[in-house]
Amino acid sequence: MYVVGFAMLLALWRLLRGPTVPDRILALDTLNVTAIAELMLLGMHLRTAIYFEAALIIAMLGFVSTVVLSKYVIRRDIVE
């Protein structure tokens, strides 16, 4: 869990300092994946299923946010 937490800090650093917008989107996606991994590890450690459900919700929201941000970067318009 410490290694995944360190990976989250590195992704947050790239999110705040990223030189370009695609770098920041990629850092946000990486932060999303590491947050899911952290929740999964916490759920396994505590032997409860509620963290797995929270990780699933974060995964769905992360996918949608990545698609929307990528579409905005490419077209500069979200709604077609």
Side-chain angles (χ1 to χ4, degrees):
M1 288 178 67
Y2 294 118
V3 173
V4 176
F6 182 67
M8 288 177 75
L9 287 175
L10 290 175
L12 183 65
W13 177 76
R14 179 52 59 190
L15 179 68
L16 297 175
R17 191 171 166 136
T20 63
V21 176
D23 287 334
R24 291 180 180 184
I25 292 173
L26 186 61
L28 184 64
D29 193 39
T30 304
L31 190 61
N32 184 27
V33 170
T34 53
I36 292 167
E38 192 76 33
L39 278 174
M40 297 294 280
L41 289 172
L42 184 63
M44 286 188 285
H45 178 69
L46 296 176
R47 294 188 175 132
T48 181
I50 192 71
Y51 294 104
F52 300 125
E53 295 171 4
L56 182 63
I57 291 171
I58 289 174
M60 289 187 296
L61 291 175
F63 173 74
V64 170
S65 67
T66 302
V67 168
V68 168
L69 287 172
S70 299
K71 186 176 176 181
Y72 178 74
V73 166
I74 291 172
R75 297 184 187 165
R76 297 288 185 223
D77 186 25
I78 295 174
V79 179
E80 292 184 26

